[in-house]
Amino acid sequence: MTDYAKISATLKEALHLTGSPVAVKLASSPEQIPAGIPEIEETVRHCRMVSLAREGKIFFAPDAKHQCGGGAWVLGLREIGPSMDSGEHYLKLGKYSSLGASKRTVYTVPALPLSTYATVYAPLEKATFVPDVVIIFANPFAMLKLAQSTLFRLGGRLYPEFAGIQSICSDATAYVYQNGEPNFSLGCDGSRKFSGISDEEMVAGLPAERLEELAEAVLKVTTAPGSKK
């Protein structure tokens, strides 16, 4: 199996991370939950679960333990709720000027099909399973280095996908899993209020298949002659 402990150590040291990168697995059945991993006791949001794993906890969460309906929807745990589907949810929160603007945004939020049984979390260095996505909270300079690492091999440009809502569940998890590409997000009000992400941090989601490549690139771009020290 990939040496996740080594990759985590590289990312934490080179990017000066506070806390661990978080391994997230989208289990489609009870059989896919790794042996020995307990179910989370409390009912909280996906973004808070990521923060708990960032702090060192390992657990899985079925739909019933996901407090946020929007997060559970985009992660493929449950159907979209009527208030979210109608656009009323974000309109009532004052996010948009009209029902149409709210619905237009909701309809373009990346969401997984209804096929997830539970989400599984661990600090990357302690992961005993192959993750689907790895999530990182970091300051903008660390994200700059991570963005440069994403382009190190082939070059080009990045086109981050975000809308200021559902940042950790959709932008950093569902979108990354769907597309197999890293994604960068500014976070959202919900994640900043409930997850523990600070005002000075951004969020990035990385496909697990590219972890080794990205870790190697991070070492190179952070020590390059043109990199701010």
Side-chain angles (χ1 to χ4, degrees):
M1 192 170 79
T2 302
D3 191 343
Y4 295 122
K6 180 180 179 181
I7 291 174
S8 182
T10 296
L11 295 174
K12 289 169 78 171
E13 182 176 354
L15 299 176
H16 305 289
L17 300 182
T18 301
S20 297
V22 175
V24 178
K25 177 181 176 63
L26 301 161
S28 59
S29 67
E31 292 72 28
Q32 289 190 358
I33 297 173
I37 293 184
E39 181 174 334
I40 189 171
E41 294 183 0
E42 63 262 55
T43 300
V44 294
R45 293 163 171 80
H46 168 70
C47 53
R48 179 57 184 156
M49 294 179 192
V50 173
S51 282
L52 291 171
R54 181 193 188 191
E55 298 164 3
K57 295 187 178 181
I58 302 171
F59 55 91
F60 77 90
D63 175 44
K65 293 298 177 69
H66 278 261
Q67 187 177 35
C68 176
W73 158 54
V74 301
L75 294 169
L77 288 154
R78 70 180 72 155
E79 296 279 3
I80 187 172
S83 178
M84 182 74 72
D85 192 37
S86 69
E88 291 287 348
H89 176 74
Y90 285 118
L91 182 65
K92 289 178 180 178
L93 291 178
K95 301 290 186 183
Y96 303 102
S97 63
S98 67
L99 186 62
S102 180
K103 292 172 70 172
R104 197 173 297 120
T105 306
V106 170
Y107 290 168
T108 57
V109 169
L112 300 176
L114 189 62
S115 60
T116 304
Y117 169 76
T119 48
V120 188
Y121 306 83
L124 181 59
E125 66 271 15
K126 295 181 180 179
T128 58
F129 54 89
V130 177
D132 293 307
V133 173
V134 172
I135 297 175
I136 291 176
F137 294 162
N139 63 39
F141 183 70
M143 290 300 183
L144 164 64
K145 296 293 108 181
L146 195 54
Q148 291 173 341
S149 301
T150 301
L151 298 176
F152 182 76
R153 184 167 63 91
L154 295 176
R157 295 185 67 81
L158 295 175
Y159 299 93
E161 277 275 350
F162 64 89
I165 60 169
Q166 298 186 258
S167 61
I168 297 176
C169 55
S170 183
D171 299 345
T173 308
Y175 175 86
V176 174
Y177 187 58
Q178 280 180 330
N179 293 277
E181 293 291 339
N183 194 34
F184 299 83
S185 176
L186 297 179
C188 59
D189 292 299
S191 64
R192 293 188 182 281
K193 182 177 181 179
F194 298 111
S195 78
I197 180 175
S198 75
D199 289 347
E200 292 75 33
E201 292 178 317
M202 297 170 58
V203 59
L206 311 175
E209 296 90 337
R210 292 192 61 182
L211 275 180
E212 289 182 284
E213 169 201 338
L214 290 171
E216 290 176 5
V218 163
L219 284 176
K220 294 175 181 177
V221 301
T222 55
T223 58
S227 181
K228 175 181 176 294
K229 302 299 188 291

